[in-house]
Amino acid sequence: MTNAVIVDAVRLASGKGKMGGALSGTHPVELLATVLRSIVSRNNLDPAQVDDVIGGCVAQVGEQSLNISRTALLSAGFPDSVPATTIDRQCGSSQQAAHFAAQGIIAGAYDIVIACGVESMSRIPMGTATLGKDTAGPGIAARYPEGLVNQGISAELIAAKWKLDRDTLDAYSAQSHQRAAAAIAAGAFDNEIVPIDVTNAAGETVTHLVDETVRAATTAEGLAGLKSSFHTDGYAARFPEAGWHITPGNSSPLTDGASAVLIMSEEAANKLGLTPRARFHSFSVAGDDPVFMLTAPIPATHKVLARAGLSIEDIDAYEVNEAFAPVPLAWAHEFNADPAKLNPRGGAIALGHALGSSGTRLLTTLVNHLEATGGRYGLQTMCEGAGMANATIIERI
C-alpha cells in the first residue's frame, strides 16, 4: 500500500475573532494564501507539482465564498494549473480535508496534495451563512419535535451526563492556557507558526507571530466569576439536569486563523529529496446524537483504534479539540486516557478555534509535539456540528 506522509505542517498564530483582533484587518483569502505560500517555500517545492489543494472552511459566504481554496492559491502565486476545492464538515472541515488528501494518495489518485483550512470569524461572524433562514426543513422538525439545540446547550448536557462540575471545567480550562503559555515561552510553536504582516490598531505594519488568544495569567479562580453563557428559562425547563456551567472561560474563543499540511506519497517525497515527518496510519468518521452533538469523538476514536489495531495506551499524545471543556474531559473519561497526554501544548480554549482551520491546526501541533518528545503515535479527533467527528492516527517517522 502507498504510504501517505506528512512532509510539513504550518499555521498562523491565532487572532481574536472580533474586529480589532490581530488578523481581523486581513482578508481571509490572504490568511490562507500566506500558509499556502509558506509551505511550498519552506520545502523548495514547485507549486506546479501540487495535484490538488483541499481546504476546509465553515462559513463559505461573503469573503469566504466561491471556493476560497482556489482563490487563495491563485493569490499565493500558484500556477493556474493547480486546482482546489473547499469542503465543509463543520469544525472538522480541514481534518476531513487531510483525510481526503491522504486517502487520495493511498488510492493512487494523487502524488502531492496540500490540505488546509481558514476561518475569519471577525469578518464573517458565526451564523452569517444562514442568512437568517431555516436550515433544517420540515423533516428535521418532525424527527426532533422539541428542536435541536446550539452547541453550548450540548456542552451543558455533556457536563451533566458525565458529572463534570464547574470547578473541574474551569480548572481544565486554566490548565489549557497555562500549557499553551508554557509552550510559547519554550519556543515549542516556533517551527509551526509562519509570519504574516498585519496592520495594527495604530495603523502600523507589524509581523504577527504569537497566539493572541492565549492568556498566560488565567486561573481557575478567575474563571469562577464568569456567568453562564447559555441559560434561558426555556432551556432550563426542558433540561432540568443542566448545571449551567458553560461560560466564555471554559469555551473556545472566536478566532481567526489558517493552517496547511503538505501531504505526499512516500515515493514522491523521496524523489524530491524531502524527509517525511509522519505517516497517516488510520482514519475514521462517525456520527452521534445531534442533540448531544459534541460526543461523536468517542465513537470515532473507538473506530479508529479498532482499525489501527491499537489501544489508547499505545498513543503517545491526543489532540481532542476543546470546543468546550466537557468535550475532551468526557472523552478522556470514556477511554481512561492519561491527562498528561491530552492536549499537552494547550488546546482550543487557549489557542483558539478558527473553525475551518482547526483540523489542520491540531494536526500541525501534534506532528511537532511528537517530534519534540520522541513519541510514535498521535491521535486527533474533534467534535463537529450536527453530531459528527473525525479521528486520525498518525505515526511519526
Side-chain angles (χ1 to χ4, degrees):
M1 186 181 74
T2 300
N3 275 328
V5 298
I6 297 170
V7 170
D8 204 3
V10 301
R11 67 178 180 93
L12 298 180
S14 67
K16 294 178 181 178
K18 59 184 180 181
M19 297 316 295
L23 301 177
S24 64
T26 304
H27 196 292
V29 166
E30 295 313 306
L31 300 180
L32 186 53
T34 299
V35 293
L36 293 176
R37 194 181 299 115
S38 295
I39 205 163
V40 296
S41 175
R42 279 169 47 128
N43 295 280
N44 295 314
L45 178 69
D46 179 357
Q49 296 176 289
V50 176
D51 293 309
D52 207 356
V53 172
I54 306 175
C57 183
V58 175
Q60 295 182 38
V61 66
E63 293 175 334
Q64 295 181 160
S65 61
L66 302 179
N67 193 4
I68 190 173
S69 303
R70 170 67 174 176
T71 311
L73 74 83
L74 293 174
S75 178
F78 283 34
D80 297 349
S81 59
V82 181
T85 190
T86 306
I87 62 173
D88 174 10
R89 199 188 285 278
Q90 296 291 281
C91 297
S93 295
S94 59
Q95 184 175 2
Q96 184 63 63
H99 280 205
F100 283 157
Q103 290 159 356
I105 286 169
I106 291 166
Y110 296 133
D111 294 312
I112 301 172
V113 192
I114 298 174
C116 57
V118 64
E119 204 80 35
S120 177
M121 299 181 77
S122 61
R123 299 168 75 103
I124 315 292
M126 288 183 70
T128 301
T130 69
L131 300 176
K133 303 296 184 180
D134 170 23
T135 61
I140 293 293
R143 183 170 180 176
Y144 303 97
E146 291 186 282
L148 297 176
V149 298
N150 64 57
Q151 293 192 3
I153 299 300
S154 299
E156 290 284 3
L157 297 178
I158 293 167
K161 180 175 179 177
W162 273 269
K163 297 179 172 57
L164 300 166
D165 61 24
R166 176 67 182 272
D167 289 346
T168 299
L169 300 180
D170 287 348
Y172 177 84
S173 301
Q175 175 186 266
S176 183
H177 283 279
Q178 290 156 8
R179 286 183 173 182
I184 291 170
F189 297 132
D190 291 355
N191 189 48
E192 64 192 64
I193 291 177
V194 296
I196 183 170
D197 288 340
V198 298
T199 303
N200 66 16
E204 303 163 327
T205 299
V206 296
T207 301
H208 182 59
L209 276 170
V210 179
D211 292 300
E212 189 181 30
T213 50
V214 177
R215 302 189 306 275
T218 300
T219 63
E221 293 75 18
L223 296 180
L226 297 174
K227 294 182 179 180
S228 170
S229 296
F230 300 100
H231 176 275
T232 68
D233 291 343
Y235 278 135
R238 179 177 171 185
F239 301 113
E241 69 274 30
W244 306 110
H245 297 319
I246 304 301
T247 72
N250 52 45
S251 309
S252 56
L254 303 177
T255 312
D256 296 342
S259 52
V261 180
L262 180 58
I263 303 170
M264 299 185 184
S265 68
E266 195 165 20
E267 181 182 11
N270 290 337
K271 283 182 178 179
L272 292 169
L274 296 170
T275 302
R277 299 170 64 183
R279 75 176 182 95
F280 286 90
H281 189 287
S282 301
F283 314 89
S284 74
V285 63
D288 209 353
D289 181 347
V291 176
F292 272 81
M293 196 184 320
L294 312 176
T295 52
I298 294 170
T301 298
H302 281 300
K303 287 175 72 172
V304 80
L305 289 172
R307 286 179 173 165
L310 298 171
S311 71
I312 198 69
E313 290 77 19
D314 295 317
I315 307 298
D316 296 295
Y318 355 99
E319 287 284 335
V320 182
N321 194 44
E322 294 173 357
F324 301 89
V327 176
L329 287 171
W331 178 92
H333 180 272
E334 287 300 298
F335 291 95
N336 193 27
D338 182 349
K341 297 180 180 180
L342 176 59
N343 301 333
R345 295 185 172 187
I349 288 172
L351 294 168
H353 181 17
L355 308 179
S357 172
S358 285
T360 39
R361 198 285 293 167
L362 267 66
L363 184 55
T364 296
T365 300
L366 181 58
V367 169
N368 281 278
H369 177 75
L370 290 176
E371 288 178 336
T373 58
R376 180 178 180 183
Y377 293 113
L379 184 151
Q380 172 193 347
T381 187
M382 59 200 310
C383 55
E384 300 157 355
M388 300 181 290
N390 285 67
T392 316
I393 292 176
I394 61 170
E395 181 179 10
R396 184 180 62 85
I397 296 175

